[in-house]
Amino acid sequence: MTQTQTMMDTPKAAPSGKLDRYFSLTARGTNARTEVLAGMTTFLTMAYIVLVNPAILGSAGMPVASVAAATCFAAAFASILMGFVANVPLALAPGMGLNAYFSFTVVQQMGVPWPVALGCVFLSGIAFLVLTLTGVRQLIVSAIPQYLFAAVAGGIGLFIGFIGLKGAGIVVANPATFVALGDLKSPGAALALFGLVVIGALSVWNVRGAMLVGIVATTLVGWLAGMVTVSPEPYSLAALTGTAFQLDLGGVFGLSGKQGLGLLEILFVFLFVDLFDNIGTLVAVTKRAGLMDAQGRIPRLNRILITDAAATIVGSMAGTSTVTSYVESAAGVQAGGRTGLTAIVTGLLFLATMFVAPYAQVIPLAATAPALIIVGGLMLLPLTEVEWEDPLSAIPAFLTVAMIPLTFSIANGLAFGITAHAILKIVRGTIRKSDGFLLVLALLFVARFVWMGAA
């Protein structure tokens, strides 16, 4: 009784209790401090998008300063909404790959004006929402066999580890062997190796916030060594008006079909890639955070998917390409993030970055790369759940794990895994009526591969 009274008399008890109840902090084995550190860690590993996305979309003729503001706003809105509505440590931002498709293929190659392309993104978001509300996206998740969830998590681990190695300059392109070891004496690679040692050492010492401390320490060393240069361009929040509500829906419906397969092709790619990238990322992050139940189901899945759809719709209205879940969220999970509070902190930091967007480059890629490398390695643990002695599991799992990093696409990895699983079940004669949706998915994937090959 005395202890209860003491807790009630403590000024900080009420706010802490509200946070705990809303986000289930205690139930998920975490606390507010850990969630804040996790959110900061996720933000630092994602901050590169504030610079990269404007550069990519700027090549399509979009105003760079406006895209920078739109990128920050979209990431902030989506991450905060995910935290409050779905209560998962999943951060979102304009997706890499889809922004390149938007700029280089849709606008530059197909000749679609960027306002019309934004209209296509908006309609794809509406399509995501319809598929979610009708239960189709949930059916897709339930049709994926459990061992492929583990394979996706492992494949994404290799994927983000490869992104980290590439961003650090430790792995570089090679015309003869595709990839090769980079110059480890170069400033970027040397700085990344330093960060790798720092984060690794702090991790084995079980230091809380090891990722965040390592990123900050590596950034400081980069500054002191003169490896970080900042040359910000003139910028203000008013820049957002250059892309906000500039989408041209009338132009979308007026497409004549001269641009390849026209509207259908654009919508299909935006829809397909975002759909399966999100599912793959969602499975990997929630699995790593221990949020899946014993049957492999994801709690609040409907809320997560609706939030994702809303994020793409709002992002297109702000003036950026498709908003999607980020695999870098795994860095925050590794730092201890288990609830939506992690995503909210990440979103608030993106919101603050709107005021200083050009200064995001003070955090070099070499400082965030070590975190991605270590997280990538730690995400391989679920691969132990695959029955590697059974070819029905081993072959699709391997294809999933291999194709995600080798094709730089989570969607491609899922496509190969699901298709192989369906084919092998048919060959073995174990296909059942309950596998009907699985077969539909496999046929869609085959059609997609044929379509891509004929393009």
Side-chain angles (χ1 to χ4, degrees), residues 20 35 143 183 197 257 283 317 379 392 398:
D20 199 326
E35 294 293 300
D183 180 7
V197 171
V283 166
M317 292 191 291
M379 287 183 68
L392 180 61
F398 170 75

Side-chain angles (χ1 to χ4, degrees), residues 392-415:
L392 180 61
S393 302
I395 294 173
F398 170 75
L399 288 173
T400 301
V401 172
M403 295 304 289
I404 288 176
L406 293 180
T407 66
F408 237 67
S409 169
I410 300 169
N412 283 342
L414 262 175

Side-chain angles (χ1 to χ4, degrees), residues 106-184:
V106 176
V107 177
Q108 296 184 49
Q109 291 183 18
M110 300 174 69
V112 178
W114 65 261
V116 176
L118 284 178
C120 290
V121 174
F122 176 84
L123 290 178
S124 71
I126 296 296
F128 299 156
L129 187 59
V130 171
L131 289 177
T132 300
L133 294 176
T134 55
V136 174
R137 291 178 79 177
Q138 295 87 325
L139 282 174
I140 292 173
V141 175
S142 62
I144 300 174
Q146 291 301 311
Y147 77 87
L148 280 185
F149 285 168
V152 167
I156 289 179
L158 290 177
F159 184 32
I160 64 176
F162 181 59
I163 291 173
L165 292 167
K166 181 175 177 291
I170 297 173
V171 171
V172 296
N174 184 288
T177 60
F178 293 105
V179 293
L181 183 65
D183 180 7
L184 301 184

Side-chain angles (χ1 to χ4, degrees), residues 11 19 49 54 62 74 110 112 126 180 191 211 225 244 263 362 391 401 403 414 441 447 453:
L19 279 177
I49 195 63
M62 299 182 69
M110 300 174 69
V112 178
I126 296 296
L191 184 61
M211 297 287 181
L263 176 63
V362 299
V401 172
M403 295 304 289
L414 262 175
L441 282 179

